[in-house]
Amino acid sequence: IASDLAAKEKKDTGHAPTKKKARMYDIFGIMFHRVILDEAHIIRSGKTRAFRACRTLQTDRRLCLTGTPLLNRPDDIQALFAFLQMEPLGQRDIFRRAISQPLRTGDTDGLTLLRAVMAHIALRRNKRTVDMQMVKKEVELRSVEFPVDSPHKAIHDTLFSSAQHAVRATLSAGDKEAMKNYSSVLETLLRIRQACCSGMLVPVERLQRAEVVMEEIRNRSTENLSVAEGKAL
């Protein structure tokens, strides 16, 4: 809905949208009975378009579902208060004066107030509360073998080889640089796993990037990639 909000804002400023865009932002004209925001911590930054889009939705009832209402700082939860229309703490300035600033200075009043508010509005559930018996997980490892002439093997090998070079480039820059780019490494591993299932699952542009880099490596006198090249993969 963040992109839908962008289309709506263009219309509000006098820019005529296409018919497709006009249909997209019709969602903001609907009066919902309730809106449930799953993974609500995603809108923790009140400056993002995603937050503004969610807050713009019209509804009688608002609920947030999240396992991490606080991620890095107290202000993270203020965006949820704003979405829930919890006044006056839904207003950023008041929230900071009442909760954020006292917490930063070590004043226990801020924590006491936050706990009181959460006890009033939050419904917390854990395994002990609901007496849930988790299903025992069984893990089975299997080797995947591709026929030599399989196009899926070619896709897998290209991704695997490019991933090796990318990870080496990242690790060569030190632990600090590796931590900055760990999400890129995880994304690369995801693509390799997809290729094990079917090469058709790998986005075409992602495979093309890997093919271009591998071709460049073959034409070089060295196989080393720069950190920027590794991250671009």
Side-chain angles (χ1 to χ4, degrees), residues 133-169:
Q133 296 295 324
M134 301 299 290
V135 178
K136 185 178 179 180
K137 183 178 180 180
E138 296 183 1
V139 178
E140 182 179 354
L141 300 179
R142 293 186 179 184
S143 297
V144 178
E145 296 184 4
F146 296 100
V148 178
D149 58 347
S150 169
H152 299 290
K153 176 175 173 56
I155 293 174
H156 173 273
D157 290 350
T158 299
L159 290 171
F160 187 81
S161 298
S162 64
Q164 281 185 314
H165 291 292
V167 172
R168 287 171 184 165

Side-chain angles (χ1 to χ4, degrees), residues 27-33 35 54-60 62:
I27 188 173
F28 298 106
I30 300 173
M31 186 64 185
F32 293 96
H33 177 64
V35 169
C54 292
R55 193 178 184 185
T56 303
L57 293 172
Q58 301 183 65
T59 177
D60 292 328
R62 297 167 181 259

Side-chain angles (χ1 to χ4, degrees), residues 16-30:
T18 63
K19 290 183 179 180
K20 181 179 179 181
K21 291 288 186 181
R23 289 194 301 270
M24 288 169 60
Y25 65 66
D26 281 346
I27 188 173
F28 298 106
I30 300 173

Side-chain angles (χ1 to χ4, degrees), residues 8 13 16 24 50 54 59 62 69 71 79 86 109 113 131 139 143 150 160 171 177 212-213 222 225 227 231-232:
K8 179 180 183 299
T13 55
M24 288 169 60
C54 292
T59 177
R62 297 167 181 259
L71 285 178
M86 282 188 51
D109 289 347
L113 176 58
D131 193 24
V139 178
S143 297
S150 169
F160 187 81
L171 294 178
E177 190 66 30
V212 169
V213 169
T222 175
L225 293 179
V227 175
K231 185 177 180 180

